[in-house]
Amino acid sequence: MTQLHTPKASRNQERGRLSFMGSVSPSRGRFRDRGGEGGGTSRRAPGTFRLVPAPKMPAGRRSLLVTSATLVSLASSLALTAPAAVAAPTPTPGPSASASASASARPTATPPAAMSTVGGARLGQPGTQVQLAGGAPVLPKDLTARSWIVADAESGQVLAAHNAHWRLPPASTLKMLFADTVLPRFPRTQTHQVTVQDLAGVGSGSSMVGIKEGETYTVHDLWLGVFLRSGNDAVHVLSAMNGGVPATVQEMNAHAEELQALDTHVITPDGYDAPGQVSSAYDLTLFARSGLQKKDFREYCSTVRAKFPGATTTKKGKSSRSSFEIQNTNRLLAGDYDISQYPGIAGVKNGNTTNAGATFTGVAERGGRVLLVTVMNPEKPDHNEVYKESAALLDWGFQAAGKVTPVGELVRPRGGAGAQPGAGDSAGESGQAGGGSGTTGGAGASANPSGTPVAAATGSGHSTGVGTAMAVAAGLMVLLVGGAFLVNRRWPLPDLVRRRR
């Protein structure tokens, strides 16, 4: 099947980014005004942010994490004696990954009546989900994407969403999951000589970075090819190094399940259209949030341009190797003739295929707040429409933050409390959230402000034993809220500081 996911057709490039690191390549000067419209696409000085390693978690926090894990087990046993009416409803996960294997590659025109409720019941409802408070701006007009989501990258709060769990073809935004899975496996200085078998199976019409059989590349080169040019050839070479495409796909599916991205089923590691390959705006946002915990991931997805090794030539018995420049295909990062770079953008990944249409996940910072946005398959055929709708949603998100009631949350990975940073992370990097988060844990600070005994609040009709159990369980939940808050803050983005001029 002919793919439209060439660098020209796929809609992304990079600069002016919420970067937590220095760029791989130096800036070549500012982009001139591209004639974009609105605050999200107007010309401004590109901004980047350097990474500040987070301080080690205080002993008290570590103890609370351990204590909260112990209390979870105790609370579970107490729940056996508690009245059923007290238990909160458990969100129903979406269909299992294996169930999607029989799904059609081309989605239907309308979303399912019921979707996964991972992250909140409202996220499983079709249509737009938003709850405006006083002074909150209305959502942008003329949004045509089949699915989109705007979320706070640090607290995980979903500010608004539209068909967030609709299972759709992801195109090359799936490469975020590929990178999050495989990046920790190889040091960037490792070299690999490409064989013809490494490039076998690259789909017809794929976007390519230009890898040549018989040439040697560093892992660093290959990841530049994946992120900047969305090179399917680079993905296949890295997959070959990782044990082959089937093994890599299996690992990607397992990692998606670990991240609780249950809408996702991987068939190809590069996002090339395949029957049964699906993801969702919600899952793609989880992939970006997880990947951004890795220093190398942040570096690659925010790099505007870099030199890539070319072919080796021999003249008069002397061999030399040329190089050529590659540029990121994220248009909010690099700009285009009809759209300027988005202020504070830092990636993450774009895609475009026949069945998926245009897809994009981006992360940006403004005023100390970090937002993630994912937009899938705008119906409006305008050039760069996926970026224009993404920029409009980011603008809205920055204006609406703190003025809307969240409609859901980005869940943390399974076993997130004990998860360790991936290779390439700075020590302690995942333990510090940036400014503007801290909205998750306040609910448990004063669970019973009236001072009334919790047991009395459960009613006098229950036996003394049940009432006591409920009182203890309620008290434990207060501590668990605090413990869960610290666990959740393990995964948000590290603290972001000043813009680099």
Side-chain angles (χ1 to χ4, degrees), residues 154-348:
E154 294 174 328
S155 70
Q157 293 178 341
V158 176
L159 306 184
H162 179 77
N163 302 325
H165 281 291
W166 192 359
R167 307 176 85 188
L168 299 168
S172 275
T173 45
L174 193 64
K175 288 184 173 76
M176 293 186 295
L177 175 61
F178 171 75
D180 194 37
T181 304
V182 179
L183 245 176
R185 306 293 169 81
F186 309 105
R188 60 166 54 200
T189 56
Q190 181 174 333
T191 60
H192 178 78
Q193 185 174 29
V194 176
T195 68
V196 64
Q197 291 81 12
D198 294 343
L199 298 174
V202 177
S204 173
S206 289
S207 54
M208 311 279 270
V209 68
I211 291 174
K212 303 297 182 183
E213 175 193 345
E215 295 286 2
T216 298
Y217 300 86
T218 65
V219 167
H220 175 69
D221 295 330
L222 296 173
W223 283 118
L224 287 173
V226 170
F227 277 94
L228 272 66
R229 298 302 292 177
S230 202
N232 288 5
D233 48 355
V235 170
H236 277 255
V237 172
L238 285 164
S239 296
M241 295 172 62
N242 192 50
V245 167
T248 300
V249 166
Q250 185 177 7
E251 291 175 5
M252 289 172 66
N253 279 315
H255 189 46
E257 184 175 353
E258 178 189 16
L259 296 175
Q260 300 199 61
L262 305 182
D263 299 323
T264 298
H265 184 61
V266 182
I267 302 294
T268 64
D270 49 21
Y272 191 90
D273 283 339
Q277 180 155 276
V278 289
S279 190
S280 66
Y282 184 88
D283 284 10
L284 293 174
T285 309
L286 290 182
F287 300 152
R289 194 184 189 210
S290 178
L292 287 164
Q293 310 311 310
K294 298 175 174 63
K295 180 180 177 181
D296 285 349
F297 187 104
R298 295 193 302 270
E299 176 185 329
Y300 292 128
C301 80
S302 64
T303 298
V304 185
R305 59 177 59 83
K307 291 293 184 179
F308 194 81
T312 300
T313 57
T314 302
K315 181 180 280 188
K316 296 181 179 180
K318 294 184 178 181
S319 295
S320 63
R321 191 173 188 184
S322 61
S323 64
F324 56 93
E325 184 176 274
I326 57 175
Q327 182 170 298
N328 200 306
T329 55
N330 173 353
R331 304 300 182 196
L332 288 189
L333 205 51
D336 203 4
Y337 71 85
D338 60 345
I339 190 169
S340 298
Q341 59 184 228
Y342 188 86
I345 194 71
V348 175

Side-chain angles (χ1 to χ4, degrees), residues 88-96 114-125 165 167 260-263 282-283 411 414:
T90 302
T92 304
S96 64
M115 293 171 281
S116 167
T117 56
V118 171
R122 291 192 63 172
L123 299 182
Q125 300 174 14
H165 281 291
R167 307 176 85 188
Q260 300 199 61
L262 305 182
D263 299 323
Y282 184 88
D283 284 10
V411 296
R414 300 184 193 275

Side-chain angles (χ1 to χ4, degrees), residues 19-185:
S19 166
F20 317 53
M21 79 311 286
S23 173
V24 169
S25 57
S27 173
R28 285 257 183 118
R30 297 179 182 176
F31 289 89
R32 66 179 182 276
D33 195 338
R34 305 285 183 164
E37 55 188 7
T41 56
S42 60
R43 183 182 61 150
R44 298 189 190 177
T48 60
F49 307 82
R50 61 183 176 87
L51 171 67
V52 176
K56 294 183 178 180
M57 184 181 296
R61 289 194 177 186
R62 290 196 300 269
S63 299
L64 182 53
L65 288 176
V66 175
T67 303
S68 64
T70 305
L71 293 177
V72 168
S73 176
L74 180 56
S76 299
S77 62
L78 287 173
L80 296 176
T81 64
V86 177
T90 302
T92 304
S96 64
S98 59
S100 68
S102 60
S104 171
R106 189 178 297 276
T108 58
T110 57
M115 293 171 281
S116 167
T117 56
V118 171
R122 291 192 63 172
L123 299 182
Q125 300 174 14
T128 301
Q129 306 300 319
V130 65
Q131 188 169 338
L132 303 177
V138 298
L139 283 165
K141 297 180 179 179
D142 302 324
L143 294 175
T144 67
R146 289 186 168 190
S147 176
W148 54 260
I149 189 171
V150 183
D152 188 301
E154 294 174 328
S155 70
Q157 293 178 341
V158 176
L159 306 184
H162 179 77
N163 302 325
H165 281 291
W166 192 359
R167 307 176 85 188
L168 299 168
S172 275
T173 45
L174 193 64
K175 288 184 173 76
M176 293 186 295
L177 175 61
F178 171 75
D180 194 37
T181 304
V182 179
L183 245 176
R185 306 293 169 81

